[in-house]
Amino acid sequence: MHRNHIHPVVHKVQDAVAKNPAHPWSLPELADIACTSSRHLTRLFKTHTGISVQEYLTSLRLSLASKLLSQTGWSMDRVAQASGFGSARQFRRVWGNFHDESPRAYRAPQENLRH
């Protein structure tokens, strides 16, 4: 998602983040990967993807968390950590911004399919 552009610098950053979404990425660190300033990376990213760097990172982390919830029996703490969230509390808060159901409720139908 948000990769239907041809800007190589933005793709470079997206590739780095996609390889390790759990890493505690900072904007200066991503700007170093892009060989540009944080401010310029912010503008490039928004122009070519339509979202901010942070929004992209959050969407990747939520996607990974969804996968882990549906494919593992891991605790919320472990899912949060593996997905790059600081804590299970932060994970649940961010999840709630994008989903109507809790992570536990999301997992419930998946558990029924595994049994």
Side-chain angles (χ1 to χ4, degrees):
M1 194 180 328
H2 302 287
R3 290 190 60 108
N4 22 331
H5 59 83
I6 57 170
H7 201 283
V9 170
V10 176
H11 275 296
K12 191 174 186 178
V13 170
Q14 287 176 311
D15 290 344
V17 169
K19 284 180 186 170
N20 190 2
H23 180 77
W25 294 106
S26 69
L27 192 55
E29 183 178 14
L30 292 171
D32 284 347
I33 289 170
C35 299
T36 189
S37 69
S38 296
R39 186 174 174 184
H40 189 59
L41 175 61
T42 299
R43 281 192 299 251
L44 284 174
F45 208 93
K46 184 74 169 181
T47 298
H48 292 281
T49 66
I51 61 173
S52 71
V53 175
Q54 187 59 47
E55 288 170 322
Y56 183 75
L57 182 55
T58 298
S59 71
L60 282 179
R61 288 176 172 169
L62 285 172
S63 178
L64 176 57
S66 295
K67 182 179 175 183
L68 293 174
L69 286 171
S70 65
Q71 296 179 359
T72 72
W74 291 358
S75 69
M76 288 300 152
D77 285 325
R78 189 164 179 198
V79 168
Q81 181 183 15
S83 302
F85 294 98
S87 66
R89 183 177 184 212
Q90 180 197 23
F91 165 56
R92 284 190 290 271
R93 184 180 48 77
V94 172
W95 179 276
N97 291 334
F98 295 90
H99 298 277
D100 292 332
E101 60 190 354
S102 70
R104 190 170 310 283
Y106 174 84
R107 172 183 270 169
Q110 308 301 324
E111 287 178 344
N112 292 336
L113 293 175
R114 287 196 299 256
H115 295 296

